[in-house]
Amino acid sequence: MAADLGELLVPFMPTIRVPRIGDRVFKSECAFSYDSPESEGGLYVCMNTFLGFGREHVERHYRKTGQCVYMHLKRTMKEKGTGASGGAIPRRKNGKVFLDLDLNCDFNGDDYEYEDEARLVIFPDHYEIPLPNIEELPALVTIACDAVLNAKSPYRRQEPDSWDDEVQVSKHASSLRQLDNGVRIPPSGWKCSKCELRENLWVNLTDGSVLCGKWFFDGNGGNGHALEHYRETNYPLAVKLGTITPDGADVYSFDEEEAVLDPHLAEHLSHFGIDMLQMQKTENGFTDSDVSPRISEWEVIQESGSKLKPVYGSGYTGIKNLGNSCYLGTTMQVLFSIPEFQRAYVGNLQRIFDYSPLDPTQDFNTQMAKLGHGLLSGQYSKPPVKSELIEQVIKEEHKHQQKGISLKMFKALTSKGHPEFSSSRQQDAQEFFLHLINQVERNSEGSENPSDVFRFLVEERTQCCQSRMVRYTQRADNIMQLPAPMEAAVNKEELIAYEAKRQEAEVSRRSPPPAVRARIPFSACLQAYTEPENVDDFWSSALQAKSAGVKTSRFKSFPEYLVIQIKKFTFGLDWVPKKLDISIDMPDLLDITHLRATGLQPKEEELPDIAPPIVVPDEPKDHLMNNFTDSPEIDESAVMQLAEMGFPLEACRKAVYYTGNMGAEVAFNWVIAHMEEPEGNGNSNPGSNQQQDFAEPLVVAGFSEIDSSSSAAVPVADNQPPEESVAILTSMGFPRYQALQGLKATNNNLEHALDWIFTHPDSEEESEAASDIADPEGNASASANATADNEPNGPRVRDGPGRYELFAFISHLGRSTMCGHYVCHIKKEGRWVIYNDHKVCLSERPPKDLGYIYFYHRIPS
């Protein structure tokens, strides 16, 4: 028999591999579904790629790759038998077959046992070889099988335990020197002291300097000024602003080049006026010094006082909490309740799966389609059978629980490379929503981009208070951020009385009185949104000087789906991050037609398009001549802030330069005003730099006389643009022919191509000819996008009436986005349903007034 098995496996030996260090073995989850060894058909692991496949997907992988040898894993659960005394018999069959297998079932280990089976399966004949079979199998096959069965989870490094093991106490913590320089860190309004960035900021624990961190490849981060400061001063430890809680904070040691622990962090922070211990740790693990409102909030939002009825079937599948992953689960539940997302991913499921890459675990569209099918198919949300219900009634117990699906593979992919979402810490659901929308746009091919339903244009009207002249600009957005004006609360007297009692109890060291929640009318929030706001460092082109300016915002277009975020989170004067305890009467039906922008009015006068004067340092002429290739002084932080918005890098540099380094907001207005400039004729005066082509790099007289426009605009023959760049441009709403033309004209430089598209609008007749030139092969993708040829330039929006109906909302429980829990309510089939991790039930009292993010859909006119 041993010889027979050896001969049988000989043709397949070259395709059987032993997992090496770095190989990921997916033996607990299918790449295309949420099937696992616990599923009815078990799981098949490819012995070459180590990808896992459910029974209905393994044939696809075999046909696509020709791989024939798979390991079939099957786990069966059943109740333990009872002994003579009535207790469960503690036995486990074959329990060590799947070493380190992630369990997906929620059951009581004292009442259940499981049996594991493993076997090799050879396709296409489905010949099975039971395992273990050491004596009869070739040595290489035995070693490979043993390595697969003992492989660690591919997600192990992202799990919470691994974080605790890696972070060590810094050698500098106990002897850290702190300067007595009088520095006090404010509770908000931080910015880098060198470049004025306002994100990824770190406080040096020696001198209190607030500086930006390093730049990440995904567009987040800073300019590395914190590291530069260490190299200049050798001050070793820094803490990240925004991560400070009573439990600690993110501390980094520049000397040790890793994240570290600081046992004396509270003392070190108090040196700069930060009292991290002012918040008390509660038994539930959330920071708060006032227990009553938090408990009440948890009970109300989760509807804890009600006996909720579970629901099953299509659209009622829960999502397991992986540990601080509820922000992801609630966001995805809401997105896949939207028809456009269902159609884009689940409606194209077979096409996406058939054209997926060889490693589907790393393909965004494949994992989105997998998630959508998992939530909407009903395959993973089945009610207990009748016999189980009868048995439960007889035993007077209810053991059946909704299991839900686990998003480990999806989380690992969508958070890859992101410093926060890839961690095991709690995150802000609003930030993840925007992060995911950005990924959807980047991975949308052709004209179908489901995230278009959220996009709208905002018209910003800025007025010079002295000259009364105005400037109108536009920007695209996906979320309406609504202020919560506490001064508009209708129960001010109660709030004042509560605060007086609370302070009195604090002085006398008595327990605080029952908390009072502020009740704010929705109309007051809407009014606060429309109020003018002051513009910092406003430079008036009418006065040619800094002046007072105010800005108002209105909707230039209304989205198909309106997302409203209530701005609940803030920092107190005591430096403690907190959430406003408020209740807002959010309407089921919403009409914001009156917020439609009107544009320039007849009696209004526009601010002249004049750039601020540029202050050039006095330097000898010889110095300029000897260094003619040097770049002019430009605020790179402002440049990067504009680049993050999607504008071409060279255009951002121009904007910052021509506005005299006045900041990102002034430069943004310059970009918007010059986006439609015609192409330069090449004969303009070199000293008149504002007449350059918008697509050309910045050329400043006195710094460089090199004409770089020729290299920037010369197309490269036979250099077909990469499809990834084409997809990014088409996802922004540009027709495919324009994307191809722009990339070809700029040597496939994505930033310059976007710049080129804005400056080369063409007519309908030119579009058809340009399409033939840009894509001479006339491939199918070009013809598939022919319908987009007549679309206008700029972001794609779906304008329509401003009347909406509420269909979902996400609620946050706890006092900070860095901790707590998320729950969502979605209206389906005329009834509200609560999604609380894996539990999905009919809602009896949806707490619409306590939500954090609200989702409205347009009412057809």
Side-chain angles (χ1 to χ4, degrees), residues 570-585:
T570 182
F571 281 88
L573 296 177
D574 53 2
W575 228 95
V576 176
K578 65 178 183 179
K579 184 175 74 175
L580 300 177
D581 189 15
I582 57 177
S583 168
I584 300 176
D585 57 337

Side-chain angles (χ1 to χ4, degrees), residues 346-357:
V346 184
N348 293 316
L349 185 77
Q350 290 305 320
R351 181 184 63 81
I352 293 175
F353 283 178
D354 288 342
Y355 290 95
S356 64

Side-chain angles (χ1 to χ4, degrees), residues 378-511:
Q379 185 176 342
Y380 307 99
S381 177
K382 296 180 180 179
V385 296
K386 188 175 182 180
S387 58
E388 291 179 352
L389 291 174
I390 295 174
E391 185 179 354
Q392 290 164 12
V393 172
I394 294 175
K395 293 183 177 181
E396 297 182 351
E397 59 184 8
H398 182 73
K399 292 182 179 178
H400 184 89
Q401 292 186 4
Q402 296 163 303
K403 299 172 184 177
I405 58 178
S406 174
L407 304 190
K408 285 187 176 182
M409 189 178 294
F410 182 81
K411 183 178 186 296
L413 176 62
T414 56
S415 64
K416 186 177 180 180
H418 194 284
E420 290 299 326
F421 298 133
S422 61
S423 73
S424 59
R425 298 184 291 271
Q426 185 65 278
Q427 304 296 330
D428 188 342
Q430 179 257 356
E431 292 181 0
F432 178 76
F433 170 79
L434 294 177
H435 172 73
L436 189 82
I437 291 303
N438 185 34
Q439 291 192 323
V440 170
E441 291 181 348
R442 292 206 313 262
N443 290 278
S444 292
E445 298 180 0
S447 59
E448 175 107 29
N449 179 3
S451 66
D452 285 346
V453 299
F454 301 119
R455 191 181 301 111
F456 58 93
L457 295 178
V458 177
E459 180 182 88
E460 293 184 339
R461 176 185 181 272
T462 306
Q463 184 175 38
C464 172
C465 296
Q466 190 168 344
S467 68
R468 313 303 295 176
M469 300 177 74
V470 298
R471 176 181 293 117
Y472 285 85
T473 57
Q474 293 182 17
R475 61 176 173 84
D477 211 335
N478 292 296
I479 288 185
M480 178 186 186
Q481 294 185 311
L482 210 57
M486 294 293 290
E487 65 276 6
V490 297
N491 57 338
K492 288 182 181 178
E493 292 78 7
E494 292 181 74
L495 294 171
I496 294 173
Y498 161 74
E499 183 61 22
K501 292 180 181 178
R502 189 192 66 79
Q503 293 180 2
E504 181 181 342
E506 186 176 336
V507 171
S508 58
R509 297 188 177 182
R510 290 184 285 109
S511 58

Side-chain angles (χ1 to χ4, degrees), residues 497-691:
Y498 161 74
E499 183 61 22
K501 292 180 181 178
R502 189 192 66 79
Q503 293 180 2
E504 181 181 342
E506 186 176 336
V507 171
S508 58
R509 297 188 177 182
R510 290 184 285 109
S511 58
V516 177
R517 177 173 290 121
R519 299 195 304 272
I520 303 175
F522 175 75
S523 57
C525 299
L526 211 57
Q527 179 63 31
Y529 175 82
T530 62
E531 289 294 327
E533 57 179 302
N534 294 326
V535 179
D536 296 330
D537 295 325
F538 175 70
W539 189 86
S540 173
S541 58
L543 305 175
Q544 290 286 297
K546 284 189 175 183
S547 173
V550 294
K551 180 178 67 176
T552 55
S553 300
R554 295 292 186 271
F555 285 83
K556 185 68 175 178
S557 67
F558 291 124
E560 185 78 18
Y561 287 82
L562 178 65
V563 184
I564 299 178
Q565 176 202 13
I566 305 298
K567 299 171 71 173
K568 287 187 172 185
F569 296 97
T570 182
F571 281 88
L573 296 177
D574 53 2
W575 228 95
V576 176
K578 65 178 183 179
K579 184 175 74 175
L580 300 177
D581 189 15
I582 57 177
S583 168
I584 300 176
D585 57 337
M586 297 296 292
D588 287 314
L589 300 178
L590 174 62
D591 189 348
I592 57 172
T593 306
H594 63 285
L595 296 183
R596 170 81 72 172
T598 57
L600 185 66
Q601 296 300 294
K603 295 184 178 180
E604 291 180 333
E605 186 177 356
E606 283 191 281
L607 285 164
D609 188 12
I610 302 175
I614 302 173
V615 179
V616 180
D618 295 329
E619 295 190 58
K621 182 177 180 181
D622 292 342
H623 174 79
L624 293 176
M625 293 300 294
N626 294 333
N627 299 278
F628 64 92
T629 57
D630 290 348
S631 299
E633 289 294 329
I634 294 179
D635 183 356
E636 291 298 334
S637 65
V639 173
M640 298 316 299
Q641 289 183 57
L642 290 176
E644 287 177 11
M645 301 178 189
F647 297 113
L649 183 60
E650 289 299 333
C652 299
R653 290 176 60 82
K654 282 185 181 180
V656 174
Y657 176 75
Y658 289 133
T659 55
N661 293 319
M662 298 287 292
E665 185 168 358
V666 177
F668 173 82
N669 293 333
W670 188 96
V671 171
I672 297 300
H674 290 76
M675 287 172 65
E676 302 299 331
E677 278 188 353
E679 181 182 1
N681 56 20
N683 299 321
S684 59
N685 182 0
S688 180
N689 296 295
Q690 291 188 14
Q691 299 304 317

Side-chain angles (χ1 to χ4, degrees), residues 265-339:
L265 183 60
E267 177 185 347
H268 292 156
L269 289 174
S270 64
H271 183 80
F272 302 110
I274 304 173
D275 189 357
M276 63 174 283
L277 298 181
Q278 201 165 19
M279 295 183 293
Q280 298 175 359
K281 187 77 174 177
T282 66
E283 62 182 0
N284 287 321
F286 302 102
T287 54
D288 195 7
S289 60
D290 187 356
V291 178
S292 299
R294 178 180 56 78
I295 294 177
S296 175
E297 181 185 52
W298 277 68
E299 291 178 348
V300 172
I301 292 179
Q302 296 190 110
E303 304 185 49
S304 303
S306 305
K307 193 172 183 179
L308 303 179
K309 178 182 177 182
V311 285
Y312 304 89
S314 175
Y316 300 109
T317 303
I319 296 177
K320 291 182 180 180
N321 194 328
L322 307 176
N324 290 330
S325 67
C326 48
Y327 68 90
L328 182 150
T330 52
T331 302
M332 300 316 300
Q333 289 282 15
V334 174
L335 288 182
F336 275 108
S337 70
I338 296 175

